[in-house]
Amino acid sequence: MAAQELARAGALVTVFEAKPTVARKFLMAGKSGLNLAKNETFDQQLPHYFEASAALAPMLAGFDAQAVMRWAEGLGQAVFTGSTQRVFPVAMKGSPLLRAWLRYLHQLGVTIKTNERWQGWQGTALAFGSGSVAPDVTVLALGGASWSRLGSDGAWVKTLGETGSALAPFQPTNAGLCRAWSAHMAPHLGAALKGVRLSAGDLSTRGEAVLSQSGLEGGGIYMLSRALRTGAPLRIDLLPDLDVTQIQNRLENVARKASTKVALRKALRLDPVKIAIAQECAHPLPRSARDLARALKALELDHQGLAPLDQAISVAGGVQFEALNDDLMLRNRPGVFCAGEMLDWEAPTGGYLITGCLATGRWAGRGAARYLGLEPAD
Ligand SMILES: Cc1cc2nc3c(=O)[nH]c(=O)nc-3n(C[C@H](O)[C@H](O)[C@H](O)COP(=O)(O)OP(=O)(O)OC[C@H]3O[C@@H](n4cnc5c(N)ncnc54)[C@H](O)[C@@H]3O)c2cc1C
C-alpha cells in the first residue's frame, strides 16, 4: 500500500522482499477466508485498537473499513459482509486480490525484487546480499514476529534497536490458550464450545472456542489475548442467556434422583462438551441447584498461558509511536518510514489487522511522498 501511494504520487518505487514471492502471510490469511475489514463505522472500529487508537485515528479515518471495501472493489474484487459484519472478498481467498493488486502496481511502474533481504544500513544506503541501494526515501513494512516461515521473523528489531528507536517487546495476540486437559476430555478434543460467554480480566465476548490437543483455539479466545497473556484465568459462562435463578429453577424441576450429568443434559440441554468443561473446571460439581447454577455461570479454567509467539495470528509490540513523527517517519532516521504490523499496535481478529496494515501503509507512503516534495494523489 505504501508502494502504491508513493507510485501514485509520481515516485519511482522498488519493493524488496526477502522471500521468493511477496505477501505470503496475506495469502495464508486468505486460506480460511481473507477477512479484510469489519463493516463498522469509524467510531465503532477505533476502540478495537486499544492504546494505539489515538495514534492510529488519523490513519484509520483516512482509510476506514468502507475505504478498504472500495479499494478491493476498485481492483475488481467484489466483497461481501458476513453475518458478524466481517468483510471478505467473494472469492474468499487472497490470491485473486493479490494478483489484481500486483498488476495495478506494475501499471504504476512499481518494480518488485524478491529474494532480497534487507540487512541493515551501510551509511545511508540499504544493504542487501546483492549489494546496496541508496533511495531518497524508504518505507519499512517488515511485519511482526509470528509465522516466521512466511517471512516476518522480527529480525529487523536488532537493526532498528541500534538506531536507538523505542521498541516494545513482542507479545503474542490472537493466539490459542495452552491447557493440559485431564484424561476425561480426550473424547471432546476437536469439538467446539458454542453459545458461551468467555471472559478474562476486564475483557468479555460471546465467541466460540475449539478444544484442541494443546488447549483452546478460536475467535472467542483470541479476543481475550491481552488479558490471558497476563495470566488471568479464563472464565466461562455456559448459559449466558439465563440468570442463576432461572437455571436453579430448571434444575429443581428435574427428578431429584437424576444424576448431575443427566440434570445438566435434561434441564439445561447442555451438550457433552459443555458438561465435560463444567466437570473439568468445577469437579466435583455442587449438588445444590443454587450452587450448581452459580458454578455454571462462572467456571474458571486455569491455563499455562498463550501459545508461543511464532504460532500467534499477530503480535503486539514493535516500533513505538513515540519513535515516529506524525507521518510514521523514524525520528532517529529521517527519510525512513514504518508501517504495518511492525508498529506497536494490536487488534483482535475480525479484519482489524489487515485494515490497520493498509491504513498505516497508505499513511506512511503518503508521508514519504510529501518528504520527497511530491503531492499524494487523491
Ligand atoms: C494464519 C493467519 C491468518 C490471518 N488472517 C487474517 C485475516 O483474515 N484478517 C486480518 O485482518 N488479518 C489476518 N491475519 C494477520 C495479517 O495477515 C497480518 O497482520 C498482516 O499480513 C501483516 O501485514 P504486514 O505487511 O505488516 O506484514 P507481513 O504480511 O508479515 O509482511 C512482511 C513482509 O516483509 C518481509 N520481510 C521481513 N523482513 C525482511 C527483510 N529484512 N528484508 C526484506 N523483506 C523482509 C517478509 O518476508 C514479509 O513478506 C492473519 C495472520 C495469520 C498468520
Side-chain angles (χ1 to χ4, degrees):
M1 186 54 97
Q4 170 187 308
E5 290 308 295
L6 270 161
R8 285 176 74 227
L12 202 59
V13 183
T14 306
V15 175
F16 294 91
E17 164 59 53
K19 287 285 176 185
T21 53
V22 295
R24 292 185 168 205
K25 192 176 270 187
F26 185 84
L27 291 175
M28 176 59 77
K31 269 206 158 177
S32 51
L34 185 70
N35 183 194
L36 289 168
K38 190 90 172 265
N39 194 347
E40 296 175 329
T41 62
F42 170 71
D43 289 341
Q44 290 169 322
Q45 183 186 25
L46 194 60
H48 293 284
Y49 295 89
F50 305 105
E51 293 90 351
S53 300
L56 291 176
M59 302 164 209
L60 291 164
F63 204 74
D64 62 7
Q66 311 304 318
V68 174
M69 290 187 258
R70 282 196 301 276
W71 163 78
E73 283 168 346
L75 289 169
Q77 302 302 306
V79 297
F80 74 96
T81 301
S83 56
T84 52
Q85 300 304 109
R86 291 173 183 227
V87 177
F88 299 90
V90 170
M92 287 305 275
K93 53 189 183 173
S95 45
L97 177 58
L98 179 63
R99 275 198 302 274
W101 200 9
L102 292 176
R103 269 197 304 274
Y104 177 53
L105 291 176
H106 182 71
Q107 284 163 17
L108 288 172
V110 173
T111 304
I112 295 182
K113 295 193 174 177
T114 54
N115 287 315
E116 291 281 5
R117 168 169 284 274
W118 173 59
Q119 295 170 346
W121 284 284
Q122 273 171 2
T124 52
L126 302 170
F128 295 90
S130 59
S132 64
V133 179
D136 296 324
V137 76
T138 302
V139 179
L140 300 175
L142 303 170
S146 70
W147 289 64
S148 54
R149 66 178 189 274
L150 303 177
S152 40
D153 55 14
W156 54 265
V157 163
K158 186 170 179 296
T159 312
L160 283 201
E162 283 164 5
T163 69
S165 297
L167 304 175
F170 289 124
Q171 297 188 74
T173 188
N174 299 310
L177 189 67
C178 299
R179 158 85 188 180
W181 297 117
S182 316
H184 79 95
M185 296 301 287
H188 306 287
L189 302 186
L193 205 52
K194 293 185 182 174
V196 296
R197 173 164 290 283
L198 301 169
S199 314
D202 54 4
L203 300 174
S204 186
T205 176
R206 280 290 289 261
E208 256 185 56
V210 175
L211 278 74
S212 68
Q213 197 75 42
S214 56
L216 285 165
E217 280 286 341
I221 296 297
Y222 300 163
M223 287 290 287
L224 308 176
S225 300
R226 280 163 61 88
L228 293 171
R229 70 176 180 236
T230 67
L234 176 68
R235 295 190 308 277
I236 307 172
D237 177 352
L238 288 182
L239 294 154
D241 297 319
L242 299 176
D243 64 24
V244 169
T245 308
Q246 288 168 318
I247 299 171
Q248 179 185 353
N249 290 344
R250 289 190 189 191
L251 285 168
E252 282 169 350
N253 282 343
V254 289
R256 276 168 185 271
K257 283 193 188 141
S259 71
T260 308
K261 210 166 160 181
V262 169
L264 293 179
R265 186 162 49 80
K266 287 200 170 160
L268 301 170
R269 298 186 190 286
L270 292 188
D271 60 27
V273 63
K274 285 185 183 150
I275 296 175
I277 280 282
Q279 285 171 327
E280 179 76 352
C281 297
H283 184 75
L285 288 168
R287 287 295 297 169
S288 115
R290 182 85 187 160
D291 291 347
L292 182 55
R294 280 211 190 95
L296 296 175
K297 288 205 58 77
L299 296 171
E300 214 171 273
L301 185 74
D302 56 22
H303 55 82
Q304 289 80 47
L306 291 185
L309 191 66
D310 197 48
Q311 292 168 24
I313 297 282
S314 61
V315 298
V319 182
Q320 292 183 292
F321 286 99
E322 67 190 57
L324 302 157
N325 75 3
D326 289 346
D327 283 338
L328 296 179
M329 184 173 80
L330 284 171
R331 293 184 194 279
N332 288 345
R333 202 83 208 191
V336 179
F337 295 70
C338 299
E341 204 181 309
M342 69 183 292
L343 301 177
D344 181 21
W345 58 276
E346 65 177 304
T349 53
Y352 300 111
L353 299 166
I354 288 180
T355 297
C357 291
L358 293 173
T360 54
R362 176 180 174 274
W363 193 264
R366 292 168 81 83
R370 278 193 298 274
Y371 185 81
L372 293 175
L374 299 170
E375 188 56 40
D378 285 339

